[in-house]
Amino acid sequence: MRRMAEEIQPIKERSSWILSWLPSWCPTSPSQLKDAEEKMLQSVKRPFSRQHIRISNSNYLWTLAFSTHPQPHSLLQPPTQPRTPLVLLHGFGGGVALWAQNLDSLSSSGPVYALDLLGFGRSSRPQFTTDPEGAEEQFVAALEEWRDKVGLEEMVLLGHNLGGYLSAAYTLKYPHRIKHLLLVEPWGFPARPENPNHNSIPVWIRAMGAVMSPFNPLAGLRLAGPLGPMLVQTIRSDFKQKYSSVFDDNRVSDYIYHLNAQTPSGETAFKNMTIPYGWAKRPMLERIGQVQADIPISFIYGSRSSIDSDSGYAFKKTRPDVEIRVIRGAGHYVFADQPDDFNQTVLQILARTEEKSEDKATKQRELPRSDDTQEGTGFN
């Protein structure tokens, strides 16, 4: 049975007169976002709890938690060590409910947490620094505070898109907290080419980029006002197909609209972390090689994605143990395009991670202790 935990009423951030006017123009509100999320999560069968996890500076991260309590055991089946918790981080413009087709399966063998990144979804929406490194640090610090408050010693961190970039950044700073790093179609890995071929970018896109550069990436969605929901349904009609096995209405596009029609926060931070056209100011491929060698890393790509897997293969050249999995028939939203294949791929990686961990623990137990003595040596 689902348990409703502490929910915090969002604090209205101080903003310009334009932002204060937008809510009356856009048919959205935090309560509408909550309702849209509830409709998305109706397809989830396994019990879960949800809560705003408080962190510093009056911020909080909206969290779903699955299978986090030990399962009862019988005399015939002694208790086993629980699987290392899996933590899911969504991508740019996303939220916890986009994992609707994955949560039941992924939590079938162990604890799973899904949270809205700081500045996104139903988490608090603070003002981020304009410095790209500082913004990245704010995201990472919020995740570390969240981990501490939830009480996780170690976790398997899985991030999609922006969540993948931030998962890698977190692993670089807090390696002792990561059991395995899973990067699903990660954003922000390659550097922008020094001489990008502008001729390959249509003139109208370059012109639009120049006009919209002072604004947030999704400003047009909010400026569309009452037409916003229809705009999402039209431009991202593919999302209805991605979730067609569980929903036959427009609840997915409604959820995406309400996620991104709120006051921009994480979106603004993301803009400050990018350079035209969507490249990271601080490319992760230049840093991920610093991740400790004993932390396993897996990349998961969709075979039909607009984001190629070159970054993963480039990294594998310098670190051969890196695993790269490509799911056939999937695009960028691989977890929604081919949820069954994605779920099985992740579960296989999790099972292998636990096996290696158990093997390592067994070998450590078999090693002779430094204070062990041999019989008959006369050292009694």
Side-chain angles (χ1 to χ4, degrees):
M1 184 174 181
R2 295 182 176 90
R3 175 174 60 85
M4 288 301 296
E6 178 188 29
E7 291 193 28
I8 302 172
Q9 293 301 315
I11 300 172
K12 293 183 178 180
E13 304 289 340
R14 293 181 180 178
S15 57
S16 66
W17 67 270
I18 294 179
L19 290 180
S20 64
W21 166 75
L22 277 176
S24 62
W25 172 245
C26 297
T28 189
S29 67
S31 62
Q32 286 174 287
L33 172 56
K34 175 184 176 181
D35 292 342
E37 179 188 276
E38 287 286 337
K39 289 180 180 179
M40 288 285 294
L41 294 175
Q42 285 175 0
S43 64
V44 178
K45 302 298 189 294
R46 294 182 65 85
F48 64 93
S49 61
R50 43 195 143 186
Q51 184 177 359
H52 278 116
I53 303 298
R54 294 176 182 269
I55 56 176
S56 61
N57 299 319
S58 301
N59 288 316
Y60 46 86
L61 299 183
W62 179 241
T63 305
L64 308 183
F66 291 75
S67 304
T68 55
H69 299 292
Q71 298 297 315
H73 61 276
S74 66
L75 294 175
L76 297 177
Q77 292 181 317
T80 58
Q81 282 293 103
R83 190 192 73 192
T84 304
L86 171 66
V87 176
L88 306 176
L89 301 185
H90 63 78
F92 174 76
V96 293
L98 290 182
W99 303 106
Q101 297 182 96
N102 316 109
L103 294 169
D104 281 331
S105 179
L106 296 182
S107 63
S108 62
S109 61
V112 172
Y113 295 84
L115 61 141
D116 283 339
L117 294 170
L118 184 67
F120 290 98
R122 296 181 62 194
S123 292
S124 57
R125 295 178 175 245
Q127 184 173 353
F128 281 79
T129 175
T130 58
D131 172 61
E133 184 174 359
E136 177 185 310
E137 172 56 30
Q138 283 178 265
F139 279 120
V140 169
L143 180 58
E144 170 59 11
E145 286 190 61
W146 174 89
R147 180 209 59 78
D148 182 60
K149 289 295 180 68
V150 173
L152 305 182
E153 288 299 313
E154 277 189 314
M155 54 187 170
V156 174
L157 195 54
L158 183 156
H160 172 252
N161 185 267
L162 173 62
Y165 180 92
L166 296 175
S167 295
Y170 179 91
T171 303
L172 283 168
K173 186 158 188 179
Y174 301 101
H176 56 295
R177 300 300 183 187
I178 301 301
K179 193 77 163 286
H180 197 123
L181 176 62
L182 278 76
L183 303 170
V184 182
E185 290 273 321
W187 165 84
F189 271 59
R192 184 175 68 172
E194 292 184 8
N195 298 303
N197 183 9
H198 288 294
N199 293 328
S200 66
I201 304 173
V203 174
W204 70 270
I205 292 182
R206 299 205 303 269
M208 184 63 73
V211 171
M212 295 300 293
S213 61
F215 301 98
N216 283 316
L218 299 174
L221 180 66
R222 291 179 288 274
L223 292 173
L227 298 178
M230 186 178 297
L231 184 66
V232 175
Q233 290 177 26
T234 303
I235 295 178
R236 295 314 309 259
S237 59
D238 58 313
F239 269 95
K240 187 171 183 178
Q241 177 61 34
K242 295 178 192 298
Y243 292 83
S244 60
S245 64
V246 286
F247 308 127
D248 60 2
D249 53 18
N250 292 318
R251 70 182 67 192
V252 182
S253 58
D254 288 344
Y255 176 58
I256 292 172
Y257 171 73
H258 289 297
L259 280 172
N260 296 293
Q262 312 289 319
T263 302
S265 170
E267 178 186 342
T268 305
F270 176 79
K271 173 187 175 296
N272 292 330
M273 293 165 65
T274 63
I275 52 179
Y277 296 85
W279 302 90
K281 287 183 178 178
R282 306 184 69 241
M284 187 54 66
L285 199 55
E286 297 176 357
R287 297 180 280 153
I288 194 171
Q290 300 170 28
V291 170
Q292 288 184 187
D294 60 345
I295 298 177
I297 301 177
S298 300
F299 287 83
I300 300 177
Y301 293 101
S303 67
R304 303 172 65 179
S305 174
S306 57
I307 293 183
D308 61 50
S309 55
D310 288 353
S311 294
Y313 285 105
F315 182 40
K316 187 175 177 64
K317 288 180 180 179
T318 61
R319 184 169 159 174
D321 66 314
V322 166
E323 178 183 24
I324 299 177
R325 303 286 289 269
V326 179
I327 296 183
R328 294 182 61 183
H332 180 57
Y333 289 86
V334 55
F335 57 89
D337 290 325
Q338 299 292 341
D340 291 340
D341 288 348
F342 174 82
N343 294 339
Q344 288 306 309
T345 297
V346 174
L347 288 173
Q348 289 169 9
I349 293 172
L350 292 175
R352 196 165 62 250
T353 299
E354 291 305 308
E355 288 175 5
K356 290 181 179 179
S357 179
E358 290 173 6
D359 290 344
K360 183 178 180 181
T362 300
K363 289 179 180 178
Q364 288 179 337
R365 287 195 297 268
E366 292 175 348
L367 290 174
R369 292 177 300 177
S370 60
D371 60 346
D372 282 350
T373 57
Q374 297 181 1
E375 293 183 3
T377 60
F379 291 109
N380 293 330

